[in-house]
Amino acid sequence: MRLAIFDLDNTLLAGDSDHQWGEYLCARGLVDADAYRAKNDQFYADYLAGKLDVLAYQNFCQEVLGRTDKAVLDTWHVEFMRDCIEPIVLAKGEALIAKHRAAGDRVMIITATNRFITEPIAKRLGVEHLIATECGMQNGQYTGELVDVPSFQAGKITRLNAWLAEHQATLEGSYFYSDSHNDLPLLEQVTHPVAVDPDERLRAVAEQRGWPVISLRD
């Protein structure tokens, strides 16, 4: 089976779920809004610029998981899905997933955003296979600490290679859809790299190399 791999944020979604989660916490008064938003916005700017300190960012965004009961977090996430994620799900992205599934391909989402945020989104999109940045768990509660290699930039390749070995799969004939220059390492590994509503740096590379450039926005 061929792999059809999708980035999530700004690819299948018309926005960034990680940043949206921070905005949700601020809007509901669940964190110190001014201080949290300032840090969240700076980390997002660093991500867009390709200079994100992913370890520092994960320490920042997982801290709230470690100090909040999981049942409470799950309740927040239901509201987050309804108010923040559902409005930015791209219908053309869902159609593209369905097209690959109808062709017999194995569909996967690979994202730098953590599993707490993205697992319910992957389920909403009907995608069984998810590689995301992992959150520590102990006795059924989040520890607030990162575990495993973050699935960011070259870390996506590390995590994907582990998945391929576990599932006795290969990248032969594979597709990868992404909007971000941060995903160039993995785009260079697949058979069919596709730039989706790409940032300026990815668009320039895609045009230089003859990669398809598509839009999933209305």
Side-chain angles (χ1 to χ4, degrees):
M1 296 175 68
R2 296 182 307 183
L3 267 178
I5 308 168
F6 292 83
D7 177 47
L8 178 64
D9 299 313
N10 290 305
T11 300
L12 292 173
L13 302 178
D16 185 284
S17 60
D18 224 348
H19 191 260
Q20 288 282 334
W21 172 249
E23 285 297 303
Y24 167 83
L25 294 175
C26 291
R28 302 310 190 274
L30 303 173
V31 293
D32 181 329
D34 290 341
Y36 194 98
R37 182 174 283 116
K39 288 185 178 180
N40 197 42
D41 287 350
Q42 183 58 58
F43 279 122
Y44 187 52
D46 289 346
Y47 168 79
L48 293 176
K51 58 181 184 179
L52 176 67
D53 181 338
V54 67
L55 298 180
Y57 178 64
Q58 287 301 322
N59 286 335
F60 166 73
C61 68
Q62 292 199 34
E63 186 271 339
V64 68
L65 305 183
R67 61 177 168 82
T68 308
D69 185 80
K70 187 175 182 300
V72 173
L73 289 167
D74 291 343
T75 299
W76 291 353
H77 205 300
V78 170
E79 187 177 52
F80 171 67
M81 288 290 296
R82 182 193 68 210
D83 296 346
C84 303
I85 298 301
E86 196 61 40
I88 62 173
V89 171
L90 290 168
K92 290 182 179 178
E94 292 186 279
L96 186 55
I97 289 171
K99 179 180 177 180
H100 276 287
R101 187 174 287 115
D105 298 335
R106 181 180 287 179
V107 179
M108 169 188 286
I109 289 172
I110 185 163
T111 175
T113 302
N114 71 57
R115 182 171 294 275
F116 165 75
I117 294 173
T118 58
E119 191 163 50
I121 302 174
K123 289 180 180 178
R124 159 64 182 82
L125 294 171
V127 177
E128 176 184 359
H129 301 289
L130 170 68
I131 294 176
T133 295
E134 299 295 345
C135 307
M137 296 285 293
Q138 188 172 28
N139 300 322
Q141 301 293 327
Y142 291 103
T143 65
E145 297 178 354
L146 168 73
V147 294
D148 208 339
V149 175
S151 43
F152 176 64
Q153 294 181 341
K156 286 191 174 182
I157 298 174
T158 301
R159 294 286 307 282
L160 178 58
N161 283 341
W163 186 94
L164 292 171
E166 180 182 351
H167 291 82
Q168 298 182 321
T170 73
L171 289 177
E172 183 177 356
S174 58
Y175 289 76
F176 180 38
Y177 297 89
S178 177
D179 71 292
S180 176
H181 67 275
N182 286 294
D183 284 334
L184 279 169
L186 182 51
L187 285 162
E188 292 170 343
Q189 298 293 312
V190 299
T191 307
H192 303 287
V194 183
V196 180
D197 299 292
D199 60 38
E200 290 184 7
R201 289 171 62 182
L202 177 56
R203 181 179 294 275
V205 172
E207 290 176 350
Q208 180 183 28
R209 300 185 185 181
W211 295 349
V213 177
I214 67 170
S215 177
L216 298 179
R217 310 287 177 120
D218 292 327

